[in-house]
Amino acid sequence: MSNPCIICVAITGSLPQKSDNPAVPVSIEEQVESTQAAHEAGASIVHAHVRNPDGTPSSDPERFARLLEGLRKHCPEILVQFSTGGRSGAGHERGGMLRLKPDMASLSVGSNNFPTRVYENPPQLVDWLAAEMDAHGVRPEIEAFDLSHILMAHRMWQDGRLRDRPYVQFVMGVQNAMPADREVFDYYVRTMHRLFGTDAPWCAAGIGRHQIKLNDWAIRAGGHVRTGLEDNVRLDRHTLAPSNAALVAKAATLCQRYERPVATPYQTRAILGLHQPVVA
Ligand SMILES: [Zn+2]
C-alpha cells in the first residue's frame, strides 16, 4: 500500500548563521529561493522563521507577511508553516503573525530545557496560541520535545482546545532535552497510535547529526519527516550541506529506499485534513 511521506523543510530557524553555513537563507529573497529549490527536491511544507538584516531572530509580522507573499507568488503549492517558537520573541509576540493565516504553525505545549536556557511555554500562552490558530484557521503542528507534550496534545484535543486530531512532531537530539533514543522513539510511536489511532499522522525531527537518523527511523516506521538547515547544517560529518534542497534530496532518497512515495502538496493537505486550495 502506498503511504506517501511528507517532507517538511525547516529552511532558516533562529540560530544558524551564514558563518555556520553560507547556504542558510536569511533575507526574504534567499528564503523564497531556497524554498523553491527545496520544493522541487520534494518538500511539501516549509517551516519558516524570519530574521533581521543582521541575522538575529525576529518576530515582526511585517517580515512574515513579506515572506508569505513571496512564497505564495513563487512557490504557490507549498504549505507554509510559521514558527511560534520562543527564540524570536516573548509572550503574545510569538503569535503576532498568525493573523496572516499561514496554512500551519508550530505549537509547543510544554516547557523544557534548551542548550543554554529554559524553553518557556507557560500554560496561558499555550492556550492563547492554540486559540489564535483556531480563530485564524491555522493547523497547528505540535512540537513534542518530551513525552508529556504528546499527552498534553491529547488532553487539549479531548477538551476542545485543539479542534482537529493533533499532528505531532517528535523533536529529538536537542541538547538538554530528549536525546535521539530509539526506545523512546518507538514508545512515542506507540503512544501516538494508542491516543490518536493507528492512522494518525506524525512526524519526526532530529537535531544536528541526528537529523538523518531520525529521517530514517520515521520513514521506515510510516511517519513523516522534517529536514533542513534550521536543524542541521551538514550533509555528513565532513561536508556542509550546500542547500536546503540537498538535505531534502537526502530524505527523498530514504523514501525511495523504504518504498514510500514523497508526498505532493495535494497529498500532504489530504493527510493533514486541510482544505485543498480553490483552483481559479
Ligand atoms: Zn523552527
Side-chain angles (χ1 to χ4, degrees):
M1 199 181 69
S2 135
N3 175 16
C5 176
I6 301 169
I7 302 178
C8 170
V9 63
I11 51 170
T12 301
S14 26
L15 289 180
Q17 298 293 334
K18 290 212 184 279
S19 52
D20 301 310
N21 183 332
V24 174
V26 170
S27 71
I28 303 284
E29 293 70 25
E30 288 171 343
Q31 289 186 301
V32 171
E33 221 170 279
S34 188
T35 301
Q36 257 184 310
H39 178 46
E40 279 161 27
S44 56
I45 302 177
V46 57
H47 167 89
H49 297 238
V50 291
R51 301 281 187 96
N52 296 308
D54 66 357
T56 54
S58 161
S59 55
D60 182 2
E62 177 56 29
R63 276 181 190 283
F64 275 107
R66 279 178 45 217
L67 175 61
L68 189 60
E69 190 187 2
L71 291 172
R72 293 284 188 239
K73 186 170 170 197
H74 297 284
C75 208
E77 285 201 321
I78 203 162
L79 282 80
V80 178
Q81 177 186 102
F82 284 156
S83 169
T84 65
R87 283 190 179 104
S88 51
H92 289 197
E93 259 176 52
R94 285 170 49 179
M97 82 304 269
L98 293 170
R99 60 173 186 266
L100 301 169
K101 302 186 193 301
D103 300 288
M104 303 176 74
S106 59
L107 176 64
S108 292
V109 295
S111 303
N112 56 275
N113 279 351
F114 267 177
T116 57
R117 63 184 190 82
V118 178
Y119 182 33
E120 268 184 78
N121 292 292
Q124 300 80 353
L125 179 61
V126 171
D127 286 350
W128 181 79
L129 285 168
E132 278 291 293
M133 290 181 199
D134 193 59
H136 296 293
V138 178
R139 177 80 151 106
E141 177 187 273
I142 308 300
E143 306 306 316
F145 290 88
D146 194 88
L147 175 61
S148 63
H149 300 169
I150 301 178
L151 283 100
M152 185 65 192
H154 182 252
R155 204 164 117 199
M156 292 176 73
W157 181 44
Q158 293 291 296
D159 66 23
R161 280 176 285 170
L162 294 173
R163 183 188 297 263
D164 300 306
R165 182 167 66 170
Y167 180 54
V168 176
Q169 169 161 267
F170 318 148
V171 188
M172 303 188 105
V174 176
Q175 197 193 331
N176 299 332
M178 184 61 79
D181 182 293
R182 183 63 209 231
E183 301 260 327
V184 173
F185 175 87
D186 290 341
Y187 188 73
Y188 276 180
V189 176
R190 287 208 301 279
T191 304
M192 285 301 296
H193 289 169
R194 177 168 61 87
L195 298 179
F196 303 107
T198 49
D199 63 339
W202 54 268
C203 161
I207 306 305
R209 66 196 165 84
H210 304 293
Q211 183 171 71
I212 195 73
K213 181 166 67 185
L214 263 292
N215 285 176
D216 188 277
W217 292 356
I219 294 167
R220 199 172 179 179
H224 304 286
V225 295
R226 163 164 143 169
T227 185
L229 293 166
E230 165 169 354
D231 299 341
N232 164 43
V233 296
R234 298 184 168 276
L235 208 50
D236 58 46
R237 197 141 58 97
H238 310 287
T239 326
L240 286 180
S243 60
N244 275 303
L247 294 171
V248 172
K250 227 174 152 176
T253 304
L254 282 171
C255 290
Q256 226 170 15
R257 180 184 303 168
Y258 296 117
E259 297 182 341
R260 295 191 55 195
V262 174
T264 63
Y266 182 89
Q267 290 169 326
T268 299
R269 286 175 187 279
I271 291 165
L272 300 180
L274 287 165
H275 293 296
Q276 299 293 345
V278 180
V279 181

